[in-house]
Amino acid sequence: MNAHINKIEKELEGYRHQLRTHALYAHLNNIEDIKTFMEQHIYAVWDFMSLLKALQNHLTTTTIPWRPAPNASLARFINEIVLEEESDVNELGENKSHFEMYLDAMEQIGANTSQIHLFLKELSEKNYPVRLVASEMGLNKAITDFIGFTFEVIETNEPHKIASAFTFGREDLIPDMFIEIIKNTEQKDESISYNKLTYYLNRHIELDGDDHGPLALKMIAELCGNDSQKWEEVAQTAKIGLEKRIQLWDSVTAQI
C-alpha cells in the first residue's frame, strides 16, 4: 500500500477505534432503536451522494461539448460507483439509488421519513445553502454540522479533499448487529419481514469491501501524487469528517 495511505490510516486509527467501540452500539437493542438511528443516519446516506456527484463533476466530463477526462482510470472508477450508488438493483430487481433503498427500508420498519422528504423539498424550492435549510428546519445540530462540513468540502472544488471525505470520512454501520436484531424480531413474529434493510446492508458489505474501498484509496493516491501539501490536506479532511461522525453517533446515543 502507498506509504502516504499507510500514514493516514495510522493517524485515523484512534478516530476509528472511537467509532468501532462507541456507546451507541450497546444501546441498539431493538427495532425502535434502529428506527431512531436510521432517522438520523439518512442524512449521511444522502450527503454521500453529493460527494460522489462532486467527484463525478471533477473527474469525468459532465459538460457540453464533451472532452476526454484527464484520467480515464479515475473516470471509470467514479462512473462505476455512480452506476451502483445511483441506479443499483434492489431485492425486487428494480433499479433504485441506495438512498431510495434506504428510505424504502426505513418505511418497511416503520421509521419516520417525513423530515428527510421535507428537507429535500425545501432544498429544491428555496435554493438556500444546505446548512441554512437544515438550521431553518431545526434539524439536530449534529446532523447540521455533519452535512454542513460535507458541503464545505465540496465547495472547496478541490478533488483531493472531496475524495478524502468520500473515502476516509465515512465509517460503515455495524451491519452484523443490525442484521441480528432484525432476525430476532422476525423470529418472534413470523408475520414481520424487514428484508429491505437486510438486503441494503448485505449489498453494502459486498460493494464496499470488494470493490469501492480499495479503488477509493487508489483514487486518493492518484489525485495527490507526490504533493505533500495535498496529502496533509487529505489527512486533515479525513480527521474532521470522522470527528463529525463521532459527534453524530453521540447525538443518536443521547436520543436512544
Side-chain angles (χ1 to χ4, degrees):
M1 186 184 289
N2 180 291
H4 293 287
I5 296 286
N6 276 333
K7 182 174 181 289
I8 291 174
E9 295 277 16
K10 288 177 182 176
E11 291 178 8
L12 298 181
E13 184 50 41
Y15 298 93
R16 288 179 168 157
H17 178 73
Q18 287 185 63
L19 284 164
R20 284 195 298 267
T21 60
H22 198 283
L24 169 64
Y25 306 124
H27 289 76
L28 293 174
N29 297 310
N30 54 51
I31 290 296
E32 292 304 314
D33 298 337
I34 292 181
K35 288 180 189 179
T36 300
F37 177 88
M38 294 182 78
E39 288 163 7
Q40 311 300 305
H41 181 247
I42 183 64
Y43 294 91
V45 177
W46 169 75
D47 79 347
F48 176 81
M49 288 302 301
S50 293
L51 285 168
L52 175 58
K53 299 304 281 188
L55 286 171
Q56 188 179 34
N57 287 340
H58 282 287
L59 303 179
T60 73
T61 302
T62 57
T63 55
I64 304 299
W66 178 87
R67 67 193 186 286
N71 186 316
S73 295
L74 291 182
R76 181 180 178 88
F77 165 60
I78 289 300
N79 284 333
E80 284 180 354
I81 295 187
V82 169
L83 175 66
E84 290 163 344
E85 292 285 345
E86 196 170 39
S87 55
D88 203 3
V89 178
N90 70 5
E91 80 287 353
L92 298 175
E94 302 166 336
N95 291 116
K96 286 200 173 186
S97 67
H98 284 191
F99 172 78
E100 291 168 302
M101 288 162 62
Y102 197 93
L103 277 176
D104 288 346
M106 288 178 68
E107 289 170 357
Q108 188 183 47
I109 73 168
N112 188 341
T113 61
S114 60
Q115 190 183 61
I116 183 65
H117 282 300
L118 178 59
F119 174 71
L120 295 179
K121 182 173 180 286
E122 291 286 295
L123 275 179
S124 62
E125 291 181 355
K126 292 189 173 180
N127 196 31
Y128 288 173
V130 168
R131 187 184 282 274
L132 180 57
V133 171
S135 296
E136 283 192 351
M137 281 186 57
L139 293 187
N140 185 289
K141 184 178 184 300
I143 295 173
T144 301
D145 288 347
F146 187 91
I147 61 180
F149 174 70
T150 296
F151 280 83
E152 286 172 17
V153 173
I154 289 171
E155 287 158 12
T156 66
N157 284 318
E158 297 184 76
H160 64 289
K161 293 181 181 177
I162 300 170
S164 176
F166 178 88
T167 303
F168 296 113
R170 301 283 152 169
E171 183 71 10
D172 289 339
L173 310 176
I174 305 297
D176 290 346
M177 181 180 298
F178 272 55
I179 292 170
E180 195 62 34
I181 292 170
I182 292 165
K183 284 180 180 176
N184 290 339
T185 305
E186 289 173 333
Q187 286 170 2
K188 290 175 184 174
D189 186 346
E190 293 183 0
S191 67
I192 292 175
S193 174
Y194 297 135
N195 64 309
K196 291 183 181 295
L197 181 53
T198 303
Y199 180 89
Y200 174 90
L201 293 169
N202 284 328
R203 184 69 176 136
H204 263 267
I205 293 169
E206 177 187 350
L207 289 175
D208 291 345
D210 294 344
D211 299 316
H212 294 179
L215 288 172
L217 293 176
K218 184 178 178 183
M219 171 178 63
I220 295 276
E222 295 207 24
L223 287 172
C224 291
N226 294 316
D227 189 323
S228 59
Q229 181 176 340
K230 284 186 177 180
W231 280 110
E232 181 56 37
E233 289 170 348
V234 162
Q236 187 62 22
T237 300
K239 289 172 186 176
I240 298 173
L242 288 173
E243 286 172 355
K244 299 298 183 186
R245 174 66 63 128
I246 291 166
Q247 291 163 12
L248 181 60
W249 265 212
D250 290 343
S251 175
V252 177
T253 305
Q255 292 177 61
I256 293 175

